[in-house]
Amino acid sequence: DAGVTQSPTHLIKTRGQQVTLRCSPKSGHDTVSWYQQALGQGPQFIFQYYEEEERQRGNFPDRFSGHQFPNYSSELNVNALLLGDSALYLCASSLERGQVRQYFGPGTRLTVT
Amino acid sequence: DAKTTQPPSMDCAEGRAANLPCNHSTISGNEYVYWYRQIHSQGPQYIIHGLKNNETNEMASLIITEDRKSSTLILPHATLRDTAVYYCIVRVGDLRNTDKLIFGTGTRLQVFP
């Protein structure tokens, strides 16, 4: 049973560019959450998707957007990249009902130069 | 969500018990205490959770004080592989997994030989 997978593993972008990160949830999970983790900090919640809709959102600007597909996989898009967007981006999956834990992927390390 | 306070770092000898404290003095009656850990360069991993009773699983034990204002995560026989950042999180809900996880900066546990 594959766990949560994310791609790519690492990514280097230039300021002002756009980036798309991808996440495949654990088999059977229907909810995907995205987190941003700056160096030395705990993960910060970006948003959560369920039934292809954004259900909750953290304190992140509209430059951060997402999508969930019918197969429950998800994308995180960041426009107009800033140096401060450099971070580890984590995807977590869970069942909307019946589970108490979130399963995290290994993350995508984004570096903005 | 209630905030938590954890010591920034702790050391533990291999084979000994590691006791990681967490203060959550503003916790509400319907909020659970969750523990996750993050080994370097990996996504966070669920460890254990509880409401008011002590809990034990194959990874750890969770001791919650009677007033629920603090808790302790116990790793009974720490190994070098337990070296990680440990996060104490409080959140509402058990059967519905809709709520985001709010991470602090956690406790960096260093297990030494």
Side-chain angles (χ1 to χ4, degrees):
Chain A
D1 176 25
V4 179
T5 59
Q6 293 186 242
S7 62
T9 305
H10 296 87
L11 201 53
I12 300 175
K13 290 287 188 178
T14 304
R15 277 181 301 175
Q17 286 188 317
Q18 178 266 344
V19 68
T20 297
L21 310 181
R22 295 176 175 82
C23 171
S24 291
K26 181 177 171 65
S27 178
H29 285 186
D30 57 8
T31 302
V32 174
S33 302
W34 286 92
Y35 294 79
Q36 179 196 65
Q37 185 174 24
L39 200 61
Q41 302 296 316
Q44 300 296 309
F45 175 77
I46 303 175
F47 42 53
Q48 183 180 80
Y49 276 83
Y50 171 69
E51 292 187 339
E52 302 180 49
E53 290 190 359
E54 182 182 294
R55 183 162 60 174
Q56 278 189 303
R57 189 178 183 92
N59 188 26
F60 279 81
D62 292 344
R63 298 187 297 109
F64 289 77
S65 63
H67 188 77
Q68 185 179 36
F69 299 93
N71 66 354
Y72 307 123
S73 66
S74 178
E75 288 182 348
L76 165 64
N77 301 292
V78 186
N79 295 322
L81 284 167
L82 305 173
L83 295 179
D85 295 331
S86 295
L88 180 68
Y89 288 85
L90 295 160
C91 170
S93 75
S94 54
L95 276 175
E96 198 276 334
R97 294 184 188 277
Q99 269 197 4
V100 301
R101 69 185 72 171
Q102 295 187 9
Y103 290 79
F104 284 81
T108 293
R109 172 71 62 185
L110 172 65
T111 301
V112 182
T113 62
Chain B
D1 289 336
K3 292 184 178 180
T4 62
T5 304
Q6 298 178 252
S9 63
M10 294 182 64
D11 290 337
C12 179
E14 189 176 21
R16 304 295 294 269
N19 298 289
L20 291 86
C22 178
N23 287 323
H24 31 79
S25 59
T26 59
I27 191 170
S28 300
N30 62 348
E31 289 183 311
Y32 287 71
V33 180
Y34 286 78
W35 284 83
Y36 280 74
R37 74 180 182 183
Q38 187 172 23
I39 297 171
H40 183 62
S41 299
Q42 298 182 20
Q45 175 191 25
Y46 166 86
I47 302 173
I48 198 168
H49 77 283
L51 181 62
K52 55 183 178 181
N53 297 320
N54 298 338
E55 302 288 343
T56 297
N57 63 19
E58 66 280 1
M59 290 183 68
S61 294
L62 174 60
I63 309 298
I64 303 174
T65 58
E66 190 170 348
D67 63 7
R68 299 205 332 118
K69 293 185 177 182
S70 65
S71 60
T72 301
L73 177 74
I74 301 173
L75 307 178
H77 305 287
T79 71
L80 297 178
R81 288 177 294 180
D82 292 322
T83 293
V85 178
Y86 287 77
Y87 296 100
C88 170
I89 301 165
V90 294
R91 53 165 284 190
V92 173
D94 192 358
L95 296 181
R96 291 197 65 196
N97 201 17
T98 59
D99 288 335
K100 57 186 179 291
L101 295 175
I102 299 178
F103 290 83
T105 52
T107 295
R108 182 172 299 278
L109 175 68
Q110 179 69 53
V111 180
F112 57 92

